[in-house]
């Protein structure tokens, strides 16, 4: 990559180990800009000295047109026109592979995502995890990593004791996901007046953990009903995880951990006789609850067992947990305990993305009354209905079949993009108008831009696309080229920073550039027709590749 080449040259010229090279948003500051010289006492002099050495070194002479010192000592670099045009050739050669690299070759990353809970509807809360998790999955795949996607289903734990206890006493005629949720809510209502119910539920879960066949059969029924519901959502979203082991899978792993003397020596007796792990040496005040007072395992125990299992099975370099910010303490505890118990090699990265919440338009939490979460399926269906209106409004006439397809790709695309364009850590205020806006930063806008570029190319059918500028490219054309060539670097940054929103920003800015250009200049029958067709092709291809990583389809026309 070009950026690495420049970074390496600056390292040699400055003698520094760590060199920062940015891609400035404002093109007036060049294609790349470095602040290396700002570290010393005399930045301007240092910058001059570094530039002098870069010239002598000569390694950049083939790609850099000019280098300038700006402001208090920034060094700005401009790429040669040939290099920019060459980017277009690379896109043409690689097509759907443009942007991919083998950066991550030989490395494995596990992505723990989606992870809804059995016996509860798939709420909007798990939407972010599913969408961001899938985008991270695709980003790392593009970089050549071995990627494992695991859906850590919530299918174990004391809540099942409560549920089973209710099913046993109420004997409902039919078990549906709505029924299960109702029973769970009812349990809590009843337990307020009859605290002994909690004890009963605990016993039920113990029976489940002990493998009692009747209890297990009820549990299995709950799992089956839920998985069927989830499958509908995954189908709508077009998402598929490689594995869905679920928490229950780690029963035997946990048993062996409980008996392991290496682990036992870290357990201390906590409140009411629970077994806990003290994490104060990691700056965490709350100890991790390893076994409850009745010996039952916890969510944290299962996560530790999962780490052990994943290490053995895949020997990962990175494990990414795409889970909401509300589980911050849980993951700090689990990561620290995993280090303490040596369940992972020290160099393994454990990452909690800590995504923000969905908020209702009024800024409230996006779940209504107790136990009644907004159903994701309803949201997705509404998105499709709105997309249909949009598809009917925009562009050319379409037949029923085409509209049906657009309904899905634009509707689901809009929901996904709206989620991904927000920085992972920030909250998302649900806003249909922004999500479906054909003129602003939205999925439909990007799809529409790609379709526009596509239709120009289709109209010019048979005409040549030439990658050499016959006439000199103008400033707007150069600006588009400058964006296109940076696509592979954006993929890397988005993955490295677990931030699909960087890719969204990039695609949006590229689309704006292209639309601006196309609004002002002819492509077909222009003096620079062949080059401009090649440019339109490049834009279309990069939008398509980028959207694909985000899990969004690109319709041919809209
Ligand atoms: N099922 C959990 C929940 O909905 C999320 C699980 C996340 N993954 C994990 N390894 N803990 O809260």
């Amino acid at each position: 990559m070009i950026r690495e080449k420049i970074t390496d040259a600056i390292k040699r010229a400055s003698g520094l180990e760590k060199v920062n090279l940015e891609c400035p948003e404002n093109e007036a500051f060049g294609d790349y800009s470095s602040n290396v010289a700002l570290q010393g006492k005399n930045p301007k002099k240092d910058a001059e000295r570094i530039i002098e050495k870069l010239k002598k070194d000569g390694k950049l002479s083939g790609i850099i047109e000019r280098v300038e010192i700006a402001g208090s000592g920034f060094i700005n670099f401009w790429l040669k026109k040939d290099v920019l045009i060459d980017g277009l050739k690379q896109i043409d050669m690689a097509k759907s592979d443009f942007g991919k690299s083998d950066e991550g070759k030989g490395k494995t990353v596990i992505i723990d995502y989606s992870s809804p809970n059995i016996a509860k509807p798939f709420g909007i809360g798990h939407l972010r995890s599913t969408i961001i998790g899938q985008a991270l999955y695709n980003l790392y795949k593009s970089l050549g990593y071995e990627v494992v996607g695991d859906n850590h289903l919530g299918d174990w734990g004391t809540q099942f004791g409560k549920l089973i206890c209710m099913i046993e006493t109420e004997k409902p005629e039919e078990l549906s996901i709505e029924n299960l949720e109702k029973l769970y809510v009812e349990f809590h209502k009843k337990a307020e007046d009859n605290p002994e119910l909690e004890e009963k539920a605990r016993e039920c879960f113990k029976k489940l953990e002990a493998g009692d066949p009747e209890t297990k059969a009820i549990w299995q029924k709950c799992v089956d009903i839920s998985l069927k519901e989830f499958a509908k959502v995954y189908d709508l979203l077009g998402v598929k995880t490689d594995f869905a082991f679920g928490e229950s899978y780690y029963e035997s792993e946990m048993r062996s951990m409980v008996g392991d003397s290496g682990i036992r020596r870290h357990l201390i007796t906590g409140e009411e006789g629970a077994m806990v792990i003290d994490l104060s040496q990691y700056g965490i005040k709350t100890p991790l609850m390893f076994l409850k007072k009745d010996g039952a395992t916890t969510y944290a125990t299962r996560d530790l067992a999962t780490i052990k299992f994943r290490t053995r099975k895949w020997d990962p370099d990175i494990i990414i947990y795409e889970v909401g910010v509300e589980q911050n303490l849980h993951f700090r505890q689990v990561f620290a305990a995993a280090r303490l118990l040596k369940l992972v090699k020290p160099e393994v990265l454990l990452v909690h993305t800590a995504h923000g919440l969905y908020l209702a338009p009024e800024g409230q939490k996006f779940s209504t009354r107790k136990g009644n979460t907004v159903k994701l399926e309803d949201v997705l269906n509404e998105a499709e209905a709105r997309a249909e209106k949009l598809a009917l409004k925009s562009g050319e006439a379409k037949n029923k079949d085409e509209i049906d397809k657009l309904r899905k790709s634009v509707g689901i695309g809009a929901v996904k993009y709206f989620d991904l364009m927000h920085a992972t850590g920030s909250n998302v205020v649900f806003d249909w108008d922004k999500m479906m806006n054909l003129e602003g930063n939205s999925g439909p806008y990007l799809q529409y831009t790609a379709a526009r570029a596509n239709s120009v190319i289709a109209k010019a059918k048979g005409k040549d696309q030439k990658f050499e500028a016959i006439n000199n490219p103008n400033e707007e054309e150069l600006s588009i080229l400058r964006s296109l060539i940076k696509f592979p670097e954006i993929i890397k940054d988005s993955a490295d920073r677990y931030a699909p929103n960087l890719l969204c920003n990039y695609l949006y800015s590229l689309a704006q550039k292209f639309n601006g250009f196309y609004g002002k200049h002819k492509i077909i029958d222009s003096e620079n027709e062949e080059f401009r067709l090649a440019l339109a092709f490049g834009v279309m291809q990069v939008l398509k590749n980028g959207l694909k990583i985000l899990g969004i389809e690109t319709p041919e026309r809209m």
Side-chain angles (χ1 to χ4, degrees), residues 180-197:
L180 291 178
E181 209 206 358
K182 257 191 225 139
L183 286 171
Y184 188 68
V185 175
E186 252 167 57
F187 174 90
H188 287 278
K189 270 196 212 132
K190 284 198 168 172
E192 273 174 29
D193 303 323
N194 312 295
E196 72 279 0
L197 266 182

Side-chain angles (χ1 to χ4, degrees), residues 130-267:
T130 309
I131 294 176
I132 299 172
Q134 189 64 52
L136 291 174
Y137 185 97
N138 299 340
L139 280 165
Y140 278 91
K141 261 253 142 86
S142 304
L143 292 174
Y145 281 80
E146 191 67 53
V147 192
V148 177
D150 187 15
N151 188 348
H152 194 71
L153 294 167
D155 61 357
W156 208 247
T158 29
Q159 72 271 27
F160 286 95
K162 296 175 183 170
L163 199 61
I164 291 165
C165 161
M166 284 303 276
I167 294 173
E168 279 179 347
T169 51
E170 307 280 306
K171 300 201 173 42
E173 266 171 37
E174 182 217 17
L175 282 184
S176 65
I177 199 113
E178 285 83 15
N179 257 342
L180 291 178
E181 209 206 358
K182 257 191 225 139
L183 286 171
Y184 188 68
V185 175
E186 252 167 57
F187 174 90
H188 287 278
K189 270 196 212 132
K190 284 198 168 172
E192 273 174 29
D193 303 323
N194 312 295
E196 72 279 0
L197 266 182
E198 296 278 355
E199 199 48 50
K200 205 175 157 220
R202 223 168 276 143
E203 265 158 37
C204 265
F205 180 57
K206 266 193 108 168
K207 262 179 22 195
L208 182 62
E209 283 211 299
D212 171 64
E214 254 170 64
T215 319
K216 198 116 195 208
I218 302 177
W219 169 83
Q220 187 64 53
K221 231 186 182 156
C222 298
V223 172
D224 293 344
I225 294 166
S226 300
L227 289 184
K228 231 166 133 189
E229 280 295 307
F230 299 163
K232 278 197 245 166
V233 175
Y234 291 132
D235 193 46
L236 273 172
L237 285 175
V239 166
K240 223 178 140 194
T241 49
D242 300 324
F243 299 96
F245 283 112
E247 293 181 39
S248 64
Y249 183 79
Y250 303 100
E251 261 300 281
S252 65
E253 189 82 60
M254 283 191 289
R255 291 294 138 218
S256 84
M257 281 173 80
V258 170
D260 181 341
S261 60
I263 288 180
R264 288 204 80 90
R265 71 188 174 88
H266 291 287
L267 300 182

